[in-house]
Amino acid sequence: MEGIGVAARTPAAPAAPAPDPVARTGGRVVPIPGSAPPLALPAEHLLAGLGFYVAGGVGLAVLAPSLARGGYADPRVAAVTHLFTLGWITTSIMGALYQLLPVALGGRFPSRRLGHLTFGLHVGGVSLFVCGLATGRTGMVIAGAATLGTGLLLFAWHLAAALRGAARRDTTWRCLAAADAFLVVAVSLGVLLAVNLRTGFLGPGRFLLIALHLHVAAVGWVLLVIVGVSRRLLPMFLLSHGVTEEPGRAAAWLLALGAAVLALVHHVLPLSALPAGGGLLAAGGAAFVGQGALHFRGRRRPSLDPGMRLVAVALALLAVAVVLGVPAMLMPGASPRLATAYVAALVVGGLGLFVAGHQYKILPFLVWHHRFGPVASERPVPMVAELFARGPALASVGLQAVGAAGLVGGILAGSPAVTRAAALLLACGALVETVQLAAVARRRPA
Amino acid sequence: MSGSGAGGAPLLHPGAAGIAAALRRVVDPEVGLDVVRLGLVYGIEWTGQGVRVVHTFTTPGCPLAGHLERAMRVTLEALPHVGEVELRYTAEPAWHPDMIRGWG
């Protein structure tokens, strides 16, 4: 294995042509931003997120008949949805932000201890909440909601504190700041829904509130984070520097405005504002897909690694979600299967696979950075991509891609068999990725 | 040996080509290319006390910055007759993939 180390390369190559003269540099020295936390904090989040991902995949397979009927109102479907949104996606995002924000924006989370505390509250709360929903125990649902809500609000405060002290305030910073605000709104709407379980005070209005809660969480929180960090991650992983960032900036504004409209519809804006909010979200989603496509088209890396292949699939399924979301929004309640397929394309495909692709990049990188980097100058160390086997990773990518696409297709076709088979493929793919990355997390230099 | 002193006397340092050759052993572990081929090394010049390497990273705030700088320093300090090693980071011009000098 070759690495940065002095003795790592094959014997010195023949003398290379001399680099360009120093006069080209202009001479301005820019400081390197602050350091990231120890490996444990992001790693515990990323690994727990993977565990929720596998559980969510299995849950989809169990609920395939309900999904194929378009049974989005089934509490067990809500349980599995939260395994993905809160357990898989949000836990992974939290872990990634602990690493990314200090490096990318020069901010610092004030307390590692608070990070571990919010992790415990969040993971414990999600587990309780999902079990309660799946088994119909209202008390457990409310206890879980209170626990995870506390964890999420503490995390939101922690993120806000890190953003407040950030050295750089660019589009990424604005996306994260807006996403943080929408996280608080999503938690608030979720609390209303949890209270409604006991009191029923929302009446038929609960269906509207469920849709608003879903979109503020999935788009206002998750997708805005993804749009913000993609500005840094996609060029870095694809070597696509120099690609125009206008579609990404437009996506950020459109998604933030759309999520704000939806957040206000219930209490401030009239229901007639819903199509405007939905239209903004669709336009924002399309703009982000366009930005991602530009990065992939403009990449200088000759071949895509497993993680970036999965991200490409995620972008394609996000485009599918945009296409399905427009009729689902214009004809609410007309086709439960369409609505269910739309949510599957958005949450499992677009958002979930995007996170899965980046997990294949971020966790091995963190392990290399913390464990192999410090000794890389002294002895040969593997490359980041060599920390896990490429073959199983590609198999996992294929399983997840076919599984997520098949899930959407199975629901649209109303086929429980196709839906279940696709969910099982997805779960197998998630399991392979989890096993691989758990092994990476244990790796240390020889 | 390459280069010459002020009075025309030969110097023992390896010359810019030798420094660049040594830096080709420093590999970005994420991209898989060495820092010279990746185009991160903008300039090499000799000072009175040793060598100054002006370099950049693929992005400001590159998470690998510390590792790459340490590896470049260790690599160059291991060369004979180099003297002091000065690494000067700059973000101008910003690195761009067009600066890559071929894959493989």
Side-chain angles (χ1 to χ4, degrees):
Chain A
M1 296 299 98
E2 297 176 354
I4 277 182
V6 178
R9 268 289 192 204
T10 46
D20 298 320
V22 69
R24 269 182 52 200
T25 63
R28 190 169 72 87
V29 176
V30 178
I32 306 294
S35 60
L39 177 61
L41 185 57
E44 69 187 10
H45 285 79
L46 297 175
L47 291 171
L50 283 162
F52 282 121
Y53 187 23
V54 176
V58 172
L60 288 174
V62 171
L63 295 179
S66 183
L67 293 169
R69 283 195 309 271
Y72 62 82
D74 182 340
R76 295 174 307 159
V77 172
V80 172
T81 304
H82 283 93
L83 274 176
F84 276 89
T85 53
L86 287 174
W88 163 224
I89 296 169
T90 296
T91 312
S92 300
I93 284 176
M94 289 168 157
L97 287 180
Y98 283 123
Q99 171 66 28
L100 183 76
L101 199 143
V103 176
L105 298 178
R108 189 179 290 275
F109 284 89
S111 166
R112 281 181 216 151
R113 192 173 294 175
L114 180 58
H116 290 297
L117 173 66
T118 58
F119 171 75
L121 289 168
H122 179 70
V123 169
V126 171
S127 304
L128 263 181
F129 180 72
V130 167
C131 288
L133 277 176
T135 58
R137 294 178 190 165
T138 307
M140 191 183 281
V141 173
I142 290 174
T147 308
L148 78 89
T150 304
L152 284 173
L153 291 177
L154 283 173
F155 175 80
W157 176 84
H158 211 187
L159 176 58
L163 287 168
R164 197 164 47 242
R168 190 177 304 123
R169 299 198 173 193
D170 55 9
T171 301
T172 300
W173 186 92
R174 287 188 282 277
C175 284
L176 294 181
D180 199 27
F182 284 122
L183 175 61
V184 175
V185 175
V187 170
S188 307
L189 296 177
V191 168
L192 288 180
L193 288 166
V195 172
N196 179 68
L197 283 177
R198 182 78 83 180
T199 65
F201 78 103
L202 287 170
R206 70 182 183 278
F207 292 108
L208 172 64
L209 198 62
I210 288 171
L212 298 178
H213 169 63
L214 171 75
H215 284 87
V216 171
V219 179
W221 158 238
V222 176
L223 191 51
L224 262 183
V225 168
I226 285 176
V227 170
V229 301
S230 290
R231 286 186 65 244
R232 309 300 297 262
L233 296 181
L234 289 182
M236 190 165 76
F237 291 144
L238 293 168
L239 296 181
S240 59
H241 303 62
V243 164
T244 177
E245 294 186 11
E246 288 308 316
R249 280 198 204 97
W253 281 108
L254 290 165
L255 294 172
L257 283 172
V261 168
L262 295 192
L264 294 172
V265 156
H266 201 259
H267 296 299
V268 180
L269 294 176
L271 271 178
S272 56
L274 262 183
L280 287 166
L281 294 189
F288 177 61
V289 170
Q291 178 70 75
L294 286 175
H295 277 296
F296 274 89
R297 197 181 306 158
R299 77 181 195 273
R300 290 296 296 267
R301 280 198 130 146
S303 66
L304 289 177
D305 56 43
M308 286 297 103
R309 288 181 194 214
L310 207 43
V311 169
V313 176
L315 288 169
L317 285 171
L318 192 56
V320 171
V322 170
V323 170
L324 296 179
V326 173
M329 179 192 67
L330 293 176
M331 301 175 288
S335 172
R337 279 215 314 269
L338 177 67
T340 306
Y342 157 65
V343 173
L346 174 66
V347 173
V348 179
L351 307 180
L353 293 193
F354 197 95
V355 171
H358 279 87
Q359 281 256 17
Y360 261 128
K361 302 292 293 183
I362 293 173
L363 190 60
F365 180 85
L366 287 180
V367 170
W368 193 99
H369 178 70
H370 286 280
R371 299 212 182 116
F372 292 87
V375 301
S377 297
E378 301 155 16
R379 52 183 135 146
V381 294
M383 296 286 168
V384 174
E386 292 168 340
L387 291 177
F388 59 89
R390 183 176 167 87
L394 288 174
S396 167
V397 168
L399 288 167
Q400 291 181 65
V402 173
L407 183 75
V408 176
I411 294 170
L412 279 176
S415 166
V418 173
T419 304
R420 176 161 286 159
L424 285 173
L425 291 178
L426 181 78
C428 288
L431 182 62
V432 172
E433 179 168 354
T434 301
V435 169
Q436 279 199 296
L437 293 183
V440 168
R442 287 194 299 271
R443 284 199 64 170
R444 294 176 186 279
Chain B
M1 284 197 315
S2 67
S4 62
L11 296 177
L12 294 174
H13 66 65
I19 294 292
L23 289 175
R24 290 191 67 167
R25 285 179 268 160
V26 178
V27 178
D28 181 315
E30 211 289 312
V31 180
L33 290 180
D34 66 76
V35 293
V36 174
R37 189 178 292 179
L38 199 46
L40 298 183
V41 178
Y42 282 175
I44 295 171
E45 65 179 19
W46 297 95
T47 65
Q49 289 75 39
V51 66
R52 175 187 297 137
V53 175
V54 181
H55 68 91
T56 192
F57 298 113
T58 55
T59 182
C62 171
L64 290 169
H67 299 304
L68 290 173
E69 284 198 323
R70 185 165 58 246
M72 285 193 279
R73 179 172 299 283
V74 169
T75 300
L76 297 181
E77 286 178 348
L79 296 176
H81 310 301
V82 166
E84 281 185 19
V85 173
E86 181 188 347
L87 298 176
R88 180 175 291 181
Y89 166 74
T90 180
E92 291 183 2
W95 182 85
H96 189 276
D98 286 345
M99 296 175 179
I100 295 174
R101 303 170 182 191
W103 291 86

